[in-house]
Amino acid sequence: MVTNDVTKITLASYADRAEAFWEGTRDHDVAQNVDALLRYIDGPPPFTLLDFGCGPGRDLKTFNDLGHTAIGVEGVARFVEMARAHSGCQVWHQNFLALDLPRERFDGVFANASLFHVPRSDLPRVLNQLNGCLKSGGVLFSSNPRGNDEEGWRGQAGDRYGVTHSLASWRRYMLDAGFAELTHFYRPEGLPREQQPWLASVWRRIA
């Protein structure tokens, strides 16, 4: 199946369950992830931030409430509407595989549970685009399901395409895209490793 079909089906899955997704995720505590991004950005706040795959706008509102200039990018049209209404922030409707991002605009990129939907064949190009939208020395946070680099259809209905990443493979992608690792950790915090399905990492643009 070509990647355009993969993206179309995945976006349709989220659109069909938009309200249920919002109700199921709006109270998730991702303060650890937000803090991990902001802690490593050089210079005084407020920062200009890109929420990559902002969904209905939960984290956009958090960044906005903290005084930062936050912009979302989201592929699901219904999520774009919800995020604008919930956060009051600007949200760009863009397919992850057809991005049109400004050069060197952002101090940080927050990619929380979003990049794992990018097929492995397209990931180097997308990461290079995110690198290019960061200012020199800018910071990218990512959180992906950890695993053994499996790729394919996921979710209860099997209609959302995704990739799991081991730390070693994720490092290779990020280093090749011109980033330097700052830190990584597993989530949710405070649980045994077998109960931590998410790999979070923070990276600085060096190229």
Side-chain angles (χ1 to χ4, degrees), residues 111-159:
N112 186 64
S114 54
L115 281 168
F116 76 96
H117 285 307
V118 177
R120 190 175 285 109
S121 60
D122 297 279
L123 187 57
R125 172 173 52 82
V126 172
L127 291 176
N128 275 286
Q129 289 173 304
L130 292 178
N131 182 297
C133 82
L134 283 166
K135 298 175 184 177
S136 179
V139 174
L140 182 147
F141 169 88
S142 70
S143 179
N144 298 305
R146 68 179 183 89
N148 296 311
D149 305 311
E150 301 92 351
E151 181 169 6
W153 295 101
R154 303 167 55 88
Q156 292 182 344
D159 55 0

Side-chain angles (χ1 to χ4, degrees), residues 21-22 24-39 51 53-54 57-63 66 110-114 141-143 185 187-189 198 200 202:
F21 179 85
W22 179 224
T25 61
R26 65 186 304 164
D27 295 325
H28 283 186
D29 181 5
V30 295
Q32 183 186 20
N33 295 350
V34 169
D35 292 344
L37 171 69
L38 299 178
R39 182 185 316 126
D51 189 347
C54 66
R58 178 197 64 206
D59 304 328
L60 269 180
K61 187 176 188 302
T62 295
F63 289 126
L66 290 172
F110 190 66
N112 186 64
S114 54
F141 169 88
S142 70
S143 179
F185 53 93
R187 280 185 47 82
E189 62 181 328
W198 293 92
V202 188

Side-chain angles (χ1 to χ4, degrees), residues 44-57:
F47 304 124
T48 301
L49 305 173
L50 180 70
D51 189 347
F52 183 80
C54 66

Side-chain angles (χ1 to χ4, degrees), residues 152-166:
W153 295 101
R154 303 167 55 88
Q156 292 182 344
D159 55 0
R160 295 177 184 176
Y161 200 83
V163 184
T164 68
H165 294 281
S166 66

